[in-house]
Amino acid sequence: METGPDSLFVTLLLLLHSSHSESEKFEVLGPTDPIVAVAGDDIILPCYLKPNISAEDMTVDWLNLDFKDGRVYRYQNRKIIREDQIPSYIGRTSLFKEELWRGNTSLKLTRVQGTDEGRYKCFIKALSWYDDFTIQVLVKAVGSKPVVSIEGHREGGMGLLCESEGWHPEPELAWLDSKGVHLSAGPPETHRDFKGFYRVKQHVIVQETNTNRFTCRVQQSRINEKMETEVHLPSELFDTTPWRISFIVLSCLGAITVIGLSLAIYCICIKKEDITEKLDELRKERGK
Ligand SMILES: *[C@@H]1O[C@H](CO)[C@@H](O)[C@H](O)[C@H]1NC(C)=O
Ligand SMILES: *[C@@H]1O[C@H](CO)[C@@H](O)[C@H](O)[C@H]1NC(C)=O
């Protein structure tokens, strides 16, 4: 009977302790399907606690797993922690403060850009428990209508250039004739801007056909989008007469230059011979 109150006290402590850690246990959940975001839009990356206990006093970390260093967002000690934030996310991320008390830790991301594509981890830590959930974000951006420029006569044909920008993911560019047959073109050139959008361009040399219609097609099959521009070249453009004339003029100029040079060299040689002859004569006179 003497140990009764003591053991009761210990039991109560244990009960209190275990019920405390029990209440801290939670799962972090979110969508299992990827989130498809259109470039320029604002999106919500869903993430919440189950059971729906308050996350107000927990640490909420949002990470982009493609970045080794830095965070997308951190909430800790009821404050936003801006240190170590990945530069491209500065000023574009927030939590729904009024939702935290019911375990909603979803992230709002504004003005989606190409570099936002990737896997995001929502990591939530309480005093004695933590869990996380990873969601995938795909970014979709349809680029500009291709711009075709005529570059002039090239290697017996007409040089054309096609350019299109603002795509995500990286698109494919193709040059086609009027029957939709692929034309062999120069190497495709791709550039990615600092926001992660792609710009593509490609040169082609076309020969005169009976339609003189050529198409530049830029397409991205993952997002099922394409953009096309058709050009019609007037057949006079293929007329190489001006080119022939300039060739003849250049050839004539070349010939004249060659003849001139030869003459100059010839004269110099003759003069040299003259001088040598005169010197010889002088020597002979002295020798006498
Ligand atoms: C928490 O979840 C329970 C059951 O799922 C629900 O009845 C309750 O309304 C939720 N509370 C909040 C604050 O969302
Ligand atoms: C969390 O809050 C956001 C913003 O109000 C809302 O769109 C979303 O549905 C909420 N998620 C859950 C699980 O309640």
Side-chain angles (χ1 to χ4, degrees):
M1 286 301 277
E2 265 174 48
T3 53
D6 271 355
S7 59
L8 185 67
F9 182 65
V10 169
T11 317
L12 266 175
L13 265 183
L14 279 174
L15 268 174
L16 271 174
H17 184 75
S18 64
S19 73
H20 176 69
S21 10
E22 206 59 44
S23 74
E24 284 274 276
K25 278 189 183 171
F26 54 81
E27 257 187 291
V28 175
L29 296 173
T32 47
D33 287 338
I35 294 183
V36 178
V38 174
D41 280 2
D42 297 350
I43 57 164
I44 292 174
L45 308 190
C47 181
Y48 54 92
L49 300 183
K50 189 190 162 194
N52 54 7
I53 52 174
S54 170
E56 283 172 306
D57 291 307
M58 299 183 185
T59 298
V60 178
D61 267 336
W62 274 96
L63 309 164
N64 179 333
L65 298 179
D66 292 338
F67 288 81
K68 276 201 188 117
D69 299 311
R71 287 179 291 262
V72 171
Y73 194 90
R74 167 171 273 190
Y75 168 89
Q76 196 175 39
N77 299 327
R78 292 183 171 242
K79 283 198 294 274
I80 301 164
I81 310 294
R82 296 185 199 278
E83 282 132 51
D84 296 327
Q85 191 175 27
I86 300 165
S88 63
Y89 291 101
I90 291 173
R92 295 198 299 128
T93 49
S94 55
L95 293 184
F96 297 92
K97 283 272 180 64
E98 70 288 357
E99 292 278 337
L100 285 176
W101 71 278
R102 54 172 140 201
N104 183 350
T105 56
S106 303
L107 182 82
K108 185 176 181 186
L109 176 62
T110 58
R111 303 185 303 279
V112 167
Q113 57 185 54
T115 50
D116 293 339
E117 180 158 305
R119 286 173 307 133
Y120 288 78
K121 182 180 271 190
C122 169
F123 177 89
I124 301 175
K125 191 177 173 298
L127 284 176
S128 57
W129 190 257
Y130 65 83
D131 193 20
D132 64 66
F133 190 87
T134 298
I135 65 180
Q136 178 143 23
V137 174
L138 301 173
V139 175
K140 162 179 171 161
V142 184
S144 60
K145 189 172 160 67
V147 174
V148 172
S149 40
I150 300 170
E151 301 194 291
H153 293 104
R154 295 277 188 284
E155 297 162 27
M158 184 57 61
L160 303 176
L161 172 66
C162 177
E163 293 172 279
S164 176
E165 61 182 11
W167 289 88
H168 199 281
E170 184 179 347
E172 280 174 9
L173 190 156
W175 274 103
L176 313 165
D177 67 11
S178 58
K179 297 188 190 95
V181 177
H182 282 244
L183 298 169
S184 69
E189 294 169 51
T190 307
H191 299 276
R192 201 170 185 211
D193 69 16
F194 75 101
K195 286 187 173 179
F197 297 117
Y198 292 93
R199 180 160 57 94
V200 287
K201 62 176 180 178
Q202 193 170 29
H203 297 266
V204 72
I205 295 167
V206 296
Q207 307 297 329
E208 188 167 13
T209 66
N210 49 10
T211 60
N212 279 340
R213 287 182 192 280
F214 304 95
T215 299
C216 173
R217 174 191 293 163
V218 180
Q219 71 176 351
Q220 205 333 302
S221 34
R222 194 188 87 188
I223 59 172
N224 197 22
E225 294 284 352
K226 73 175 173 194
M227 284 284 205
E228 285 184 351
T229 297
E230 191 194 58
V231 280
H232 176 231
L233 302 180
S235 59
E236 300 85 69
L237 261 186
F238 287 92
D239 191 355
T240 50
T241 322
W243 181 77
R244 274 202 197 115
I245 288 171
S246 54
F247 179 76
I248 291 163
V249 168
L250 276 177
S251 307
C252 289
L253 278 176
I256 290 167
T257 315
V258 169
I259 292 166
L261 270 175
S262 319
L263 275 175
I265 290 166
Y266 177 73
C267 291
I268 289 167
C269 289
I270 289 198
K271 268 189 189 153
K272 250 193 187 169
E273 267 170 32
D274 267 8
I275 291 167
T276 345
E277 268 169 30
K278 275 184 186 147
L279 277 176
D280 281 349
E281 271 168 32
L282 274 174
R283 272 192 208 116
K284 271 178 203 162
E285 270 170 27
R286 275 197 193 157
K288 269 178 195 170

